[in-house]
Amino acid sequence: MEDKEPVSSQDVYQALCGAASQDSATLQASTKLLQQYQARPGTYGHLYAIAAEKNTVPLDVRRMAIIQFKNGALGAWKSKRQIADFNAHIMAKPSLVPDLIAIVQTQTQVFLSNPTGADPANTLHFKRALRVLHLVVKEFCSVKMPAGIRIMTQIAESLYSPLIQHYDRLSSLLQASFTVNALLDPHLQNTCEEAVTLSHMVFKPCTKIMLWLWQKAGQPQYSAALETLAAFSKSCFQLARILWDLRFQLIASLYQEIPGGTSPSVRALDTLTRHLRLYGKMFLRMQQLSSQRFVALPHANELILYYWAEVIKASNGPPGMISDSPNAFYPVRLLVQCMILFRESLNAWSGKKTENMTATRAGVLSEHFVEDAVRLLLTRLIPLSSPDLERWTDDPEEWVNHEEKEGDAWEYELRPCGERVLISLSLHYGLYVVPILMKTFQQILVTPTDNLTKILQKEAMYCAIGRCASRLHNVLDFDEWLQKYLVSEAQESNPDYRIIKRRIAWVIGKWHAIQSTPCSKTQVWEILLHLMRDHGPSSDAVVRLSASEALRECIDVGGFCILRLFAMSLSIPTQTVAFDEQTFHPFLGDFVTQLVLLISEAGTLEAKNRLTKSLNTIVPFTEIIVNPLPQLWQDAGEDYLLKATLIVMVTRLVEATREHSGVISHIVISLVQESLTTKEKHYLDEDGLLLWAAAIRNALTLESTRNGVPGYIDMFSHVTLQVSGNMDALGTMLSIVESYVVLDAKRVLATHARELFQAFALVLPRAVQMNTKNIILVLGLITQITPPEFWAEPMHSSGLFAVLAKAVIDDKESALVLTEHIYVFARIALSDPFVFNQLVAGAAPALNMLETQVFEGVLDQWWSKFDNMAEPRHRKLAAMGIASWVSSARPEVLGRLHTEIFNIWLDVFGELKEALADESTDGTRLVSLSSDI
């Protein structure tokens, strides 16, 4: 009991002093003593207190305390009791709020009384209190349980007014102190930095509270918060504009004079930028939770339009004003926030739910306003920039990968965000947007594109057409555009025209994808094939990859159903497909060849995968695709990445064509053999096994489908080699064996039973639990669907049954695995109890046991594992198996008849009785036949 008594702080301190000593004997004794202390209550608290004491504790002792705390605290706090205590501490944090508020109030007064001469220690104390306060609020904002919500309500009520007051005072100081002279004066720079930092830290818990109330404001019990939210929002709308203007004026004035590095002025401007981003995050979250309520707030529309006006100023400004830097005139992230805020408001503005909304729509977004917004997007925000073109040239494949993802880039980058704004404008203000788009489109079509600027403008226009295709399909004649302009533009030799060629491929794909219309135009296939083939100076990898992606979109949308088209190629009756195969068929071979070549040329896995997906859309024409593979395989040489890609492509081909994949079985077998038997197996065996698994899972026969060509049955010799010699791939190999057994178990066992069972006997003692269970499941399947003459003798001669019996008798495996053993024994006994007796008796010499001992050991486990059989079908299987075993009149079995065996039968009969009673009540069949077990 003494070891559990709390240790004193003085004892811990003395032990730390000894552990920091240079004397080895003292060090060892003290270290051992500290290890003993760590098991006693209070030690880690003392270690933390000693480490935090700066004035009286030597530095070496503090370091030792930190090391001891780091090494032991985490492990010591993992017990359930201590986690519960910690959770209790977390729930007690609201009690900290009054103290924190008092600290904040005091320190605010102290700081504001003398900002230029503030004590750094007091300021640090102030910041730490604000950080803790923010974490407390953040913790309870996320709580969903009623108790946590009540606590958060109390926190919001107690914190809102004082925090807003402190923020008002600090933000006033911020506006007054943030001047050009102050930022350049070494004596005032720190004051500017502290003013904006403290304002930012006070504002963070304010935003958390306001957003929590905003989310709850729709509930009746929080209706009183609506006025508070309106007042807070109004002040934030006004202050956000003031701070934005202040920041811009300072940047404009200090552009040439601002010091570099990490000076206080730079840090102050960086914090001010982050502060404005915090405003934007809060506004965006409010809008996300309720766009209608947000735009209905007083002055919200004015703020949004102010932000959009800043986007216009930034876009029309000189180059260099927009940059992804916190000290730029217009940081990219701030502008993106402004654009998203504008975009998300369009839906609310376009609605007619209230008179206010209707008036807002008519007054704010007039036709002229929308037209100007569209022109701005088309001319300034959507065109590719110089950095875009540099990234295109530096790494074409990565550029395409980034462009085609179309994930959340619009939340961080201007051009994708501009495209999303245009889409939203076309959806909500189509009456205004469509005419201006068509007018601009017609002007650009007839304007010569003889320089890079005009090329970029045309590319942006084509981008807009693709993005707004859903609103333009009734007014834009795509066929005329295709024949008169796109065909000739795709043939241009101007090197800069690669920009338009890439967009031509993109817009063709997007037009068909968005419209969900089948592609039936020969010109489309001619353009895409030319763009994929072209390796001249006016093309590059971006154009070719974009054309392959467009090919996939055109085919997928066209209803190119893999199975149906493959059935058509085999003259199997099928339903009519909307896709025009006759138009596409002449181009098929060339497309396949180009896609395979592009796969070999691609340098990134992502590009190879994208090309493979395009190739997979035309997999119904399987033999055309696989015919070039042998030559490609030979040409690849030691390019194992390309070879792996080819194997993956054939795997997907097999998975797509399913039962019709037999026509390429000769290619599959060749690739599998190459990947498993040559020097390349170290690079390709994993992909080769996955191909084998897919092929045998979808095969209809194990025999050869071509004269003189091996069939899948001829590959089974590789199974035993892989099962016994490749433990890493054992799981995949077992699925292959299972597919062989399901397809034709008798054929497999007639020629390969002994070597298969020998391999199983070899790996069972070494296999992990999951693989062990899968092996037993395969054996259960074999004994269930084939008679004993196919497996009884090989199971004995290979030693496999002895391995199974030993595992059961030793009882060292998990109950989950051992019950699977019992199921196999039950199936053997059901098939032939006398064969089962022979197998059990034959295992005795191999186990160095008497026959009686083996029988008794199996019977012991049969009974002991019966309670671990949860499913009724398994319990019935065990009962039926032992009943069949009783019929063999083996003395050891009969000796258990009146005890354990009767108990098993009574349990199962009781379950059957209940099932039959339930079946008679509702008519549901609950009792399974023996053939179903």
Side-chain angles (χ1 to χ4, degrees):
M1 295 296 293
E2 293 181 357
D3 291 340
K4 298 301 180 182
E5 293 181 359
V7 64
S8 68
S9 175
Q10 187 62 29
D11 291 340
V12 175
Y13 179 77
Q14 293 298 331
L16 288 172
C17 292
S21 172
Q22 299 298 319
D23 181 66
S24 59
T26 304
L27 188 150
Q28 292 178 3
S30 298
T31 302
K32 185 176 180 180
L33 189 60
L34 282 172
Q35 292 175 350
Q36 296 174 359
Y37 286 164
Q38 288 176 5
R40 296 167 64 177
T43 300
Y44 292 107
H46 296 322
L47 289 173
Y48 181 83
I50 293 170
E53 181 57 52
K54 295 181 180 180
N55 299 323
T56 59
V57 178
L59 182 59
D60 290 342
V61 177
R62 291 181 60 212
R63 287 174 176 170
M64 181 57 63
I66 293 171
I67 293 171
Q68 293 292 328
F69 184 87
K70 174 184 72 70
N71 292 340
L74 182 61
W77 286 351
K78 284 185 177 179
S79 69
K80 293 182 179 179
R81 175 62 182 170
Q82 286 161 332
I83 290 176
D85 292 343
F86 182 73
N87 288 337
H89 171 68
I90 292 294
M91 295 306 294
K93 284 192 297 187
S95 62
L96 299 174
V97 171
D99 294 337
L100 291 171
I101 285 295
I103 294 173
V104 171
Q105 185 169 359
T106 302
Q107 295 298 334
T108 302
Q109 294 282 3
V110 172
F111 181 78
L112 291 175
S113 64
N114 186 15
T116 58
D119 185 358
N122 289 335
T123 305
L124 179 62
H125 191 196
F126 192 6
K127 292 179 180 179
R128 287 174 175 173
L130 289 173
R131 188 174 293 112
V132 173
L133 188 62
H134 174 247
L135 291 176
V136 171
V137 174
K138 182 179 179 180
E139 177 81 21
F140 283 94
C141 279
S142 60
V143 174
K144 304 299 182 183
M145 300 300 290
I149 294 175
R150 286 194 297 271
I151 294 174
M152 183 59 205
T153 303
Q154 297 171 5
I155 292 176
E157 292 174 351
S158 61
L159 282 184
Y160 170 73
S161 295
L163 282 180
I164 293 299
Q165 292 174 5
H166 297 323
Y167 180 69
D168 287 341
R169 298 172 67 186
L170 288 169
S171 61
S172 298
L173 174 64
L174 167 63
Q175 298 172 56
S177 62
F178 246 61
T179 62
V180 174
N181 293 333
L183 289 174
L184 294 177
D185 188 343
H187 301 290
L188 299 177
Q189 289 176 351
N190 288 324
T191 302
C192 294
E193 181 185 2
E194 297 299 350
V196 68
T197 300
L198 292 172
S199 298
H200 184 65
M201 296 184 73
V202 171
F203 191 61
K204 288 173 73 174
C206 290
T207 61
K208 290 288 188 298
I209 294 172
M210 289 301 106
L211 288 175
W212 186 83
L213 290 174
W214 179 262
Q215 192 170 9
K216 301 288 184 183
Q219 302 176 17
Q221 60 269 35
Y222 293 97
S223 58
L226 292 174
E227 294 183 4
T228 300
L229 289 168
F232 176 77
S233 301
K234 180 180 178 180
S235 64
C236 288
F237 294 157
Q238 295 173 347
L239 191 54
R241 297 175 62 173
I242 293 171
L243 293 179
W244 184 291
D245 291 337
L246 174 63
R247 181 191 173 280
F248 184 84
Q249 293 168 6
L250 290 173
I251 294 290
S253 301
L254 298 174
Y255 184 67
Q256 299 295 334
E257 302 180 50
I258 187 170
T262 58
S263 66
S265 296
V266 174
R267 293 196 299 267
L269 288 172
D270 180 39
T271 305
L272 181 58
T273 304
R274 289 190 291 113
H275 193 52
L276 284 170
R277 282 171 51 198
L278 181 60
Y279 270 102
K281 290 179 181 178
M282 182 182 69
F283 297 151
L284 287 173
R285 181 57 180 162
M286 292 172 69
Q287 194 177 58
Q288 182 184 15
L289 292 172
S290 179
S291 180
Q292 295 286 353
R293 278 197 290 131
F294 180 75
V295 298
L297 289 171
H299 305 292
N301 295 326
E302 288 84 345
L303 174 75
I304 297 169
L305 294 178
Y306 170 83
Y307 276 164
W308 181 251
E310 292 301 311
V311 173
I312 296 174
K313 288 168 56 178
S315 302
N316 293 326
M321 293 191 72
I322 301 175
S323 174
D324 191 13
S325 167
N327 293 325
F329 283 95
Y330 292 101
V332 170
R333 295 188 182 184
L334 282 180
L335 289 180
V336 169
Q337 283 186 339
C338 297
M339 295 170 67
I340 296 176
L341 198 64
F342 175 78
R343 172 183 178 268
E344 297 299 325
S345 301
L346 294 175
N347 183 35
W349 285 342
S350 64
K352 296 183 179 181
K353 294 187 177 181
T354 66
E355 295 181 0
N356 184 37
M357 291 298 163
T358 305
T360 299
R361 180 186 177 190
V364 178
L365 296 190
S366 63
E367 181 177 359
H368 179 70
F369 182 96
V370 174
E371 289 178 353
D372 287 345
V374 171
R375 291 191 188 95
L376 177 75
L377 293 169
L378 290 177
T379 58
R380 298 294 182 181
L381 295 173
I382 295 180
L384 294 172
S385 63
S386 297
D388 289 325
L389 296 178
E390 291 175 3
R391 289 193 295 269
W392 178 330
T393 304
D394 293 341
D395 194 344
E397 288 187 15
E398 184 57 34
W399 193 86
V400 174
N401 294 337
H402 178 73
E403 289 292 308
E404 294 296 338
K405 283 180 181 177
E406 294 192 352
D408 57 355
W410 65 275
E411 298 179 357
Y412 307 100
E413 300 176 18
L414 283 176
R415 182 166 54 84
C417 187
E419 294 175 9
R420 294 307 189 281
V421 173
L422 180 62
I423 294 172
S424 297
L425 279 170
S426 69
L427 290 175
H428 301 297
Y429 293 89
L431 292 177
Y432 301 158
V433 173
V434 171
I436 188 63
L437 280 180
M438 291 303 301
K439 180 180 178 181
T440 309
F441 177 61
Q442 295 297 334
Q443 293 173 349
I444 286 181
L445 284 180
V446 298
T447 301
T449 49
D450 50 6
N451 57 54
L452 181 59
T453 301
K454 294 180 179 178
I455 287 175
L456 293 175
Q457 194 59 64
K458 177 173 281 191
E459 188 273 344
M461 188 69 244
Y462 286 7
C463 173
I465 296 298
R467 292 298 185 191
C468 303
S470 61
R471 300 306 301 264
L472 298 175
H473 68 282
N474 290 327
V475 295
L476 192 152
D477 189 340
F478 182 81
D479 294 340
E480 181 183 0
W481 180 30
L482 179 73
Q483 295 171 8
K484 287 187 177 181
Y485 299 98
L486 297 186
V487 172
S488 59
E489 289 175 349
Q491 307 291 329
E492 280 284 347
S493 58
N494 183 348
D496 290 335
Y497 244 78
R498 62 193 173 97
I499 298 171
I500 292 182
K501 290 182 178 181
R502 176 256 169 184
R503 186 58 77 179
I504 288 173
W506 177 90
V507 77
I508 288 175
K510 288 296 180 286
W511 185 271
H512 289 90
I514 293 175
Q515 299 302 321
S516 298
T517 55
C519 180
S520 58
K521 295 295 180 182
T522 302
Q523 291 91 339
V524 169
W525 308 128
E526 290 175 346
I527 290 175
L528 295 181
L529 182 58
H530 170 74
L531 295 178
M532 291 172 65
R533 277 177 171 171
D534 189 7
H535 283 69
S538 62
S539 182
D540 61 8
V542 172
V543 177
R544 293 187 286 273
L545 291 172
S546 299
S548 69
E549 185 71 13
L551 173 67
R552 182 187 63 79
E553 291 181 318
C554 290
I555 292 175
D556 279 348
V557 171
F560 202 129
C561 178
I562 291 173
L563 296 181
R564 286 189 290 175
L565 282 177
F566 192 75
M568 290 174 63
S569 67
L570 298 178
S571 301
I572 299 174
T574 183
Q575 297 179 354
T576 301
V577 182
F579 187 79
D580 188 352
E581 300 87 8
Q582 299 301 323
T583 303
F584 179 72
H585 192 274
F587 302 93
L588 174 64
D590 292 330
F591 275 127
V592 171
T593 302
Q594 293 304 318
L595 285 171
V596 173
L597 288 175
L598 288 176
I599 291 174
S600 65
E601 293 174 359
T604 63
L605 286 176
E606 193 166 357
K608 290 179 183 291
N609 289 335
R610 183 171 287 108
L611 290 163
T612 303
K613 289 179 181 179
S614 298
L615 188 58
N616 286 342
T617 60
I618 50 179
V619 291
F621 300 90
T622 334
E623 291 188 87
I624 296 177
I625 295 176
V626 299
N627 282 339
L629 286 183
Q631 186 60 45
L632 283 171
W633 185 273
Q634 295 297 326
D635 295 342
E638 296 185 355
D639 187 353
Y640 300 119
L641 189 60
L642 174 58
K643 288 187 173 183
T645 301
L646 294 176
I647 294 175
V648 172
M649 184 191 72
V650 176
T651 303
R652 294 177 178 176
L653 193 63
V654 169
E655 292 171 343
T657 55
R658 297 181 181 273
E659 67 270 20
H660 303 297
S661 62
V663 296
I664 60 167
S665 60
H666 60 293
I667 295 291
V668 172
I669 292 171
S670 176
L671 290 178
V672 172
Q673 289 176 335
E674 285 280 338
S675 63
L676 296 181
T677 59
T678 64
K679 64 179 181 178
E680 300 161 343
K681 64 182 180 181
H682 300 295
Y683 306 96
L684 305 175
D685 59 343
E686 184 176 351
D687 293 321
L689 290 177
L690 293 177
L691 171 59
W692 192 0
I696 196 65
R697 185 168 57 248
N698 292 288
L700 299 178
T701 178
L702 296 178
E703 306 301 333
S704 174
T705 57
R706 298 189 177 198
N707 293 330
V709 178
Y712 290 121
I713 189 62
D714 301 308
M715 295 179 61
F716 200 83
S717 58
H718 294 296
V719 171
T720 55
L721 294 175
Q722 291 294 321
V723 168
S724 59
N726 191 351
M727 296 296 292
D728 293 335
L730 184 57
T732 305
M733 287 310 307
L734 292 176
S735 68
I736 293 174
V737 173
E738 184 180 22
S739 298
Y740 268 94
V741 170
V742 171
L743 189 56
D744 196 345
K746 293 181 180 179
R747 179 74 173 85
V748 172
L749 295 175
T751 54
H752 299 284
R754 187 183 305 276
E755 53 263 40
L756 177 63
F757 290 165
Q758 286 175 342
F760 281 172
L762 181 64
V763 301
L764 267 174
R766 306 184 279 134
V768 297
Q769 178 176 313
M770 182 58 67
N771 288 337
T772 299
K773 180 183 176 182
N774 289 335
I775 292 174
I776 305 305
L777 289 173
V778 170
L779 292 175
L781 182 62
I782 290 173
T783 55
Q784 182 180 8
I785 64 178
T786 56
E789 54 264 27
F790 284 92
W791 45 260
E793 192 280 330
M795 192 175 287
H796 166 71
S797 60
S798 65
L800 175 59
F801 191 85
V803 173
L804 298 175
K806 184 178 188 305
V808 171
I809 295 171
D810 289 347
D811 194 19
K812 293 181 180 179
E813 295 280 358
S814 68
L816 178 66
V817 173
L818 291 178
T819 53
E820 297 293 340
H821 285 69
I822 301 300
Y823 304 152
V824 173
F825 290 173
R827 294 199 183 281
I828 297 175
L830 275 174
S831 298
D832 192 325
F834 299 100
V835 168
F836 185 52
N837 283 338
Q838 291 176 343
L839 288 170
V840 176
L847 300 177
N848 197 23
M849 299 171 65
L850 299 175
E851 284 186 14
T852 300
Q853 292 176 320
V854 179
F855 276 96
E856 294 291 347
V858 171
L859 285 166
D860 287 341
Q861 292 304 315
W862 201 307
W863 165 245
S864 67
K865 295 298 178 287
F866 183 74
D867 288 338
N868 296 111
M869 301 175 188
E871 296 189 29
R873 65 188 183 94
H874 288 152
R875 296 166 66 84
K876 285 186 280 185
L877 174 61
M880 294 169 62
I882 206 164
S884 179
W885 198 8
V886 168
S887 68
S888 69
R890 181 76 189 186
E892 293 85 356
V893 180
L894 294 177
R896 311 257 183 143
L897 181 62
H898 63 287
T899 55
E900 298 165 358
I901 295 177
F902 271 6
N903 286 334
I904 291 175
W905 290 347
L906 288 173
D907 283 350
V908 173
F909 285 149
E911 294 171 3
L912 286 172
K913 183 178 179 181
E914 293 177 4
L916 288 171
D918 293 338
E919 180 178 329
S920 63
T921 302
D922 56 14
T924 304
R925 180 172 175 262
L926 299 176
V927 180
S928 303
L929 302 175
S930 61
S931 59
D932 297 332
I933 299 176

